[in-house]
Structure formats: C-alpha cells, structure tokens
Amino acid sequence: MSELNVIKKERTAVINPIVTCQPLGAMYAVSGIERGMPLVHGSQGCSTFVRYGFARHFREPADIAVTSLHEDAAVFGGRKNLISGLGNLAARFKPDVMGVVTTCSSEIIGDDVAGFIKTAKVEIAKKMGEEAASKIKIVQINTPSFVEHQFKGYDNAIKAIVDTLAEPKDEENGKLNIIPGIVNPGDIREIKHMLSLMGVEGILLTDTSDPFDSPLRPSKADKNPYYQKGGTPLADIQDCANSLGTISLANYASSAPASLEKKYNMPSKVSEAPIGIQNTDSFIRTVKKFTGNDVTDEILDERGIVIDAMADVASRYLFGRKVAIYGDPSITVGMARFVAELGMIPKVVCTGVKNEYFVNDLKKVAKESDEDIDALFGQDLRALDVYLKENPVDLMIGSSDGRLMAKDLGIPLYRVGYPVYDRVGYQRRPIIGYNGALNLVDGITNTILDKYYETQDWKLQQ
Amino acid sequence: MVLNLDTENRKMQDGNNDDDFDLEVKIPNSIFEKLKSIEALKARESQMCVSGKDDSIPTCDKNSTPGMITQRSCVYGGARVVLMPITDAVHLVHGPIGCAACTWDIRGSKSTGDKLYKNGFSTDLQEKDIVFGGEKKLYESILEVNKLYHPGAIFVYSTCVVGLIGDDLKAVCRQAQEATGCRVIPVQSEGFKSFNKTAGHKLACDAMLDYVIGTEEPEEEHPYSINIIGEFNVAGDLWGIIPLYEKMGVKVHTAITGDSTVAKVASAHRSKLNIVQCQKSSNYLASQMEKKYGIPSIKVNFFGLDETTKSLRAVAEFFGDEEMIKRTEELIKSEIKNLRDEISEYKKDLSGRTVAIYSGAHKSWALVSAFGELDMEIIMSGTQNGKPEDYQQIRDHVCEGTLIVDDASSMELVQLLKEYKPDILISGAKEKYLSLKSGIPHCDFNHDRITAFSGYQGFINFARVVHTAVMTPIWRLSRK
C-alpha cells in the first residue's frame, strides 16, 4: 500500500524560499485585464521588485503603479497617497480597471481602503468628468503580505475582480469561465486552444498570455498611454456572471468560483492544473459536462500524439527514474501525477505553502501510482537540499531558484514554474494540456539523455 | 558638435550608411520643443531640463508622485544591494516572506570564495507575529542560521512591517550575538523610511561603520594598501581592476563590498587609502572612514580607457613612490598598446550614434567620457534617485543639448525613447524590455549584467556589447 509521508517544517527561519507574498499574485492577476493596471498601496520596493521579477521571468515590461508610502504615511495613514494615486493613474493612464493591491504596511496601519476608493471616485469624476470617470473601474484587493502567499493573493484578486465587476443579466452567454492560476502565457494559450477545439468560448479570469508575451512590432497603438495588447476585456469580466460555469485550474483559486456559484447559482469545479494525461482528460470531461459540447477528433488526435510520444520514450529512458518536484502547490501535484504516468517515481514533492488540499491531492497521486511519496509541506529549498543529500534522485523539476543546488548535487534540473530566468522560452511553451504534456515528455527525456546517456551512442538512434 | 535629432530613424533603417547623418547644429531648441510636445509630461516639466539652456538642473530628490510607475526601489532594497556582496555573511530579512523572496540572489556580484551570500534568509513573519511581535521568531532564526552555517556575520534587515510593529531589532541582535558569539548586525532599513533608496545605502554604510570596520586587525600591514569602496564586483568587474593595482605594487586589501569577507571589511581601517568607485552609494563611507581612521580617499572611475588610466595614476601619485610611478606608466603603456586599434574597429560602426542613460546616479555621468572614446554622444541622461549634486555632475559632463531627467515613470521613458530615438539605452532590467519593445537597442548596466565592464579589458567588453546591441540585424527586421 503506497503512502504519503508528510514532512513538516521544524525550523523557524526560511532559507531559500519557494514562495513569495500575497501582493505578487494580485499584481499578476490584474495584469491579465485588458488596459488593467495594478496600483500597489505600499512602499516602492513592493512594486519594483515584482516588476523586476516579472521582467526577468517573462522578458517583457511589467507596468505596475505604486502609491509610494513613506514615513509620514506610516504615522498619518496612506489616505492622501491612495486617493491622489488613483487620481493620477486614472488621469495619465486612463485604464479600464485599476486594481488596488494592499501590502503589509497599508494593512497594518489600517487604511480604510474602501473609503479612500469612494473619495477617489468623487475626485476623479470632478477632474475628468462623470462619463470618463464612470468608465474606470476600481477593484479593491486586500493582500496582507503576512498571511499565506502569492497563491492566496491571486485567489483574493480574482474573487475581488469578479465580485466588483460582474454584472448579471437574465440570460446565459453560453461561455465558460476559466481561472488559469499563476501560469505562463504558453499555458493560457493552450487552454484557449483546447476550448476552441471543443467549440467553446471561454472567459479567462484573467488572461496574461498577450500582456506577458507580446509581439515586437512598430506600434500602431495610441502613443499615450501605451498598453500591451491583450488581456481579458472588461466587458468579458462583467459578463462572467452569465456564464455556464466556472472552472478553476488551480486548487488555491477557489474563492471566485465559490462566490459565483453562490451568487448566480453557477456550477463550478476547482482542480489542480491540467498537467499530464489524466488531469487533462478530466479537464476536457469537465468542459464537456458544463457545455454539452463533444470531444472532437482533433482533441483525441492531440491526446494520441502525446501517448505516442510517451510510448516512444517512457519505458526506454524514463521508467523507474526518481524525481524531486518543487514549487507551486497546484502545478507540483499535476507534475507528480504526470511523471508517475511516465513510469517515473515522484519521490519527493516540496511546496512552500501549508494548504491541506496539497496533501489530499498528493495522497491521491500516491495511491494511484502505487509509490510512496514524501511531501515537504510548508518548506523551503534548504529543506529539499537536505532531503536530497540523504535521498538522491535522478531529476529535479522546478524553478530556476533551485539551479545552484541542483548543480551542487549533480542532479539535472528541468525548469518548470515561476521564476525561470536562466533559460529562455519556458514561459512560452505550455506544460498544460496535451501539447503541454508533449513538451514535458520531450524536455524531460532530453534532460535525462544529456545526463545519463552518451548522446552520440548509436543506440539512441533506435 | 551637436546632433540633429529631427532626422528620424536615421541610423536604424540603414546600419552602415552615414551619408544621411545630419550634423547641423539645431539643438537645444528642438529637444526642448519635443519635450513640450509630449502632453503627459507637462506636469513633470520641472523634473526635466536641457543642458545648455540655462544653468538649471531638474527639480529632484522629492517624493515620487503616487500612482506613477516609478522605477525607484525602497530603503531596504538600497541597504540590501550594498551589503549583499559580503560573501561569508548571512543576510537575514526580518519581515514577511516577499521582501526576501524577491531579492535573494538578484545581484550578479561574483565571489572567489564563499557562496553563502547567495542564499535567501527570512523570518517569514505571519499574522500572529504582527499582533504579538516578531522578536522571539527573529531570535530563534538567528540562532538557527548561526548553527547551520557558522557565518562571518549575520546582517539582520528590518522591513516596513518591523518598523510598524516596533520590534526592537538592536536588542534582539545584541542578545543573539551574546548567545552565538557571531556578529549579529542590525540594519534599520524599513522600506518606507525614504522615497530614495540612497537612504538605504547610507544605513548599510552605517552598519559597517558601527559594527564591522575597525573590529579586526589585518594579517599584514602593507605600505601601499588600499580599499576599493563602492565596487560590488558585478559580473566580476573587480577582477579587471585588482590585477592592475597589484602590478603597480599596490595591495588591494578589499573591496567594500564586492567579493569581500567580514574579516576583510573589519580590518579595512588599516589601509592607507580608500578609492571610491560608486560615488553615489559610498562617498559617505569614505568620508566617515577618513574622520574615524584618518584614511584619505580619492574618487576613481574604471569605466573607459582614459578614466581607468587616470584612476591608476591617481593612486601612484598619492603614494608618490618613484618606482611605482614608473611601473604604472609602463603598465598603462603596455595595457592600452593594442586597445585603441580594437576600439577603432567598433568605432567605425558606432561613431555618431546617440545614447540615452537611465540608471543609477553615478552611472548617469560616469559613463560620459567613455562614450566619447567610442565617438558616441549622450543625448539623454537620467536617474531615479538623483540628488542635486548628481544632476550637477551630469551637467558638468554632458554636451550642450542633452536632456536630463529625474524619476521618469515607465510611460514617460517609453515616450522619451520614442521621441528622441537614441541608438541605445543604458539601464537596468526593468527598463530593458520597455526599451526593446520601443525598438531601441539596450545595454544592461546593472545588477544582472553578465559581462565585466571595468578596467581596460572591461571597456573592450563594453564596446563589444554596445556594438552587438546596435548592429544586430533584429532592428531591421522589427520595422517590417
């Protein structure tokens, strides 16, 4: 009988974190709205370091505004900063949506963010006129940095966006709401691709694919202000109250589906990321259930191509290889299930969060794969390092932050998740869906070949 | 000589044709007119100026406008980047996880020895710590990391949260130092303390002055020993400088803080001279060391052939040793023997090209002379954290007609780049993709640079990097 061995953190200090704080998740979510602008209510570093991180990972500019809180705000509150911040942002950038993202400092000083937003709306209307002002929506997103992590911040943001902006009508729009989680542009494009193969129209809550992977072309857009094209249009977000249902592809993003279900009696399904065959099958089935649309031949062919690729390599190069996976709780569980499908052993799965769903999902993987899995729960990369010294594996799967450790341990690292800054293209290539699985099969196998085989050996030609 | 900026795209469209290059003197008016044509910038007109127009400098050193996408960082960030390169220290961030998670190992400072500084340490403050205080957690964390790593020192950084909940950082550090026997150094770097991260640089220098420098004696006292202050060994810059001084017979005791150890910094007070590279972050440290230990300092610049030569000569002259002066001249001669030829190869393509700088205040003027050696001209220079003296420096270094900008937001930068169309932007990573998306070649001159630019060979590297950025055929393709 296979078991999940949960190892909890026994140290106080965090050493080499694999999580960051709530505001990052919220900034990511708001960036997926067309002409949407995150406004961080906090110190300049809170926006600057996230912008820097996004730039490093996505290799794209990331526009995130900040209210620049300083010592006087710490004493007298951030009222002035937030109200004038909203006013300035509205006047200069004319966004469709401004997402006010709080931080530890604005939460602790107890700013009445809701009240300030109300005042700001009046001010903006005075300055820009009622009509122009009414076009700019303001979403309040509470993301205290000292509670949970970026995944909770993402969840809070999507819920706030939906709760503030959704406008119910009497009839259904026939669309499906999809919450992609904190994933890459390639993943979101793959979700849209799968939906289109099933003839389903989706509303992505939210769609960061184009804003974080945009073409370099002579700009035909307005000079002032300049926005990357893409993102979910405000009208679509407003329309999400009239959809057939909501699917969240990240277990941590469950609040918005619950809220939509409660308010509009809309069915919802929250799952781990559709990584690998079984998880993608389950996603496709859910889409079918919600929409009534059939699974098309094209989708079955795409599935068949991955299975074919797996058959080519799985037993020859991958079977029995031990894998360590770390990072995002939803993605790591999906990856664990997929490497098990490939015949590899998900020996250890490490995440920085302490949410119970992670343990429950991983238990299922252990049971299905008939392998004992060690779960590092609420841990950091140092804990994984210590573990791997005692229990070596053949492959590591996770973000670039584990690169030095992987090098020291002599274990090859296949890069997945956020952040990946020392390789190119990972943000463009999906890991989600059948095409994502295909990428993973190729990438993982090539990594194994590089490390454990003489690549010039004639036997590889077979 | 001032360039006509109205000939749009003059270089982009045809990489090798210099014929359409108009050298007529029309500036500064056209620069200024363009500035006015950018509507959104009107409110910020006072934060920009054109050199030569009059004697003014931009309004600066003020709070950023809330709601703007300022390129500025926080005080914690400022302190972190100065201290981080000390290789055998633990840098423990007392705050919520994000402050450490977003900044560990973001600076490309290289090390010949210890790699401890590349790890990220945090006390990961949670809601209950905010309510009941985080002192106990901090104390335990210090004990833990000391036991695990036996570091040269533990720097403890306070963040916004700590400033608000009022944890007594100093007291905890003192107790922990008694318990561990390891130096535990408080850095009071609450992020919101100032709009200018330079305040963080100063705090970092204070931490070194109060707790490190002067606490140990060097193994040997060399008659010609120096410290290189404000050199952080990004991409291995230091390794282009140290060998030059060693060949002169000068002993580089340590850089502060590039590739340094706690013990080296602690015994830096016995050096005979401080040379100051980044004058933004470290002039203060040099002047304090002069006051406290009587170490004189001279300002240096290792960017460009002439500046490097001057910086070597200045040290030789300071020591006044005839033999050393002779050796130095021979060294300079042999070092630059073939370099001018190499540079002229790059110069063929780069000559007359225009440059915009938006970077740290020191770089905004310290690069000017070197660009002159490539026959390139700076048409815009700005910084996010400039003080009046920094802008004065820019004015003193650049040609007439150069646009000088303080604290531009990302939108303003894009607009300026689109209007002025420099042939290259020199900046950090956040501006890099703005630049490329606007069709402007880019050269990274910040924390995550991967090529060393200091000293003679470094300048050849730089010329190559700039040449590559400007000449890559991508820019012809992107216009289709």
Side-chain angles (χ1 to χ4, degrees), chain B residues 32 35 43-62 72 357-358 364 380-396 398 402-408 416:
Chain B
F32 207 59
L35 191 58
R44 293 212 335 120
E45 236 174 47
S46 73
Q47 274 171 279
M48 304 183 191
C49 79
V50 175
S51 73
K53 192 82 176 149
D54 48 52
D55 282 337
S56 64
I57 54 164
T59 310
C60 60
D61 204 20
K62 296 253 187 312
R72 287 175 171 177
I357 303 174
Y358 193 78
S364 63
M380 180 188 135
S381 183
T383 166
Q384 57 270 54
N385 294 315
K387 295 202 165 204
E389 58 267 31
D390 300 317
Y391 289 108
Q392 201 55 56
Q393 286 276 22
I394 297 180
R395 283 197 68 95
D396 293 348
V398 297
T402 300
L403 178 67
I404 305 175
V405 190
D406 177 61
D407 189 26
L416 290 169

Side-chain angles (χ1 to χ4, degrees), chain A residues 4 7 52 62 97-98 129 138 155 172 183 195 245 253 266 327 352 383 418 433:
Chain A
L4 184 74
I7 306 166
Y52 176 77
V97 177
M98 297 190 281
I138 306 176
D155 186 39
E172 281 184 353
V183 292
L195 293 179
M266 181 192 294
Y418 178 90

Side-chain angles (χ1 to χ4, degrees), chain B residues 20-193:
Chain B
D20 61 344
F21 194 57
D22 188 353
L23 293 175
E24 193 186 337
V25 180
K26 275 190 183 173
I27 316 286
N29 270 344
S30 72
I31 280 204
F32 207 59
E33 286 313 308
K34 270 194 180 173
L35 191 58
K36 288 202 161 170
S37 75
I38 306 175
E39 197 189 334
L41 299 183
K42 273 193 179 142
R44 293 212 335 120
E45 236 174 47
S46 73
Q47 274 171 279
M48 304 183 191
C49 79
V50 175
S51 73
K53 192 82 176 149
D54 48 52
D55 282 337
S56 64
I57 54 164
T59 310
C60 60
D61 204 20
K62 296 253 187 312
N63 287 354
S64 292
T65 315
M68 289 292 97
I69 304 170
T70 175
Q71 306 300 99
R72 287 175 171 177
S73 173
C74 61
V75 172
Y76 155 71
R80 184 91 165 95
V81 293
V82 168
L83 294 173
M84 182 187 165
I86 303 178
T87 56
D88 63 341
V90 158
H91 300 273
L92 173 62
V93 184
H94 187 35
I97 192 71
C99 302
C102 292
T103 58
W104 66 288
D105 197 19
I106 62 163
R107 194 161 212 210
S109 296
K110 294 205 172 182
S111 165
T112 37
D114 219 313
K115 299 276 190 290
L116 183 54
Y117 70 119
K118 281 179 158 291
N119 292 289
F121 299 89
S122 169
T123 53
D124 186 19
L125 288 180
Q126 300 289 311
E127 201 164 13
K128 66 174 190 329
D129 307 314
I130 305 305
V131 179
F132 300 111
E135 292 181 2
K136 193 163 163 271
K137 202 169 187 183
L138 174 60
Y139 183 74
E140 280 173 17
S141 297
I142 297 172
L143 262 47
E144 278 173 5
V145 295
N146 178 63
K147 204 170 152 197
L148 289 173
Y149 296 95
H150 306 293
I154 300 168
F155 287 95
V156 180
Y157 301 80
S158 64
T159 55
C160 294
V161 162
V162 175
L164 291 167
I165 63 176
D167 277 358
D168 190 343
L169 207 65
K170 276 188 184 159
V172 177
C173 288
R174 202 164 45 236
Q175 278 174 15
Q177 179 161 323
E178 278 164 23
T180 57
C182 174
R183 289 163 202 269
V184 185
I185 301 160
V187 187
Q188 299 278 354
S189 53
E190 292 82 9
F192 54 67
K193 237 176 187 168

Side-chain angles (χ1 to χ4, degrees), chain A residues 151-169:
Chain A
F151 308 108
K152 183 68 192 161
Y154 177 83
D155 186 39
N156 282 346
I158 302 293
K159 180 174 188 294
I161 290 167
V162 166
D163 283 351
T164 316
L165 302 176
E167 290 180 359
K169 290 184 193 140

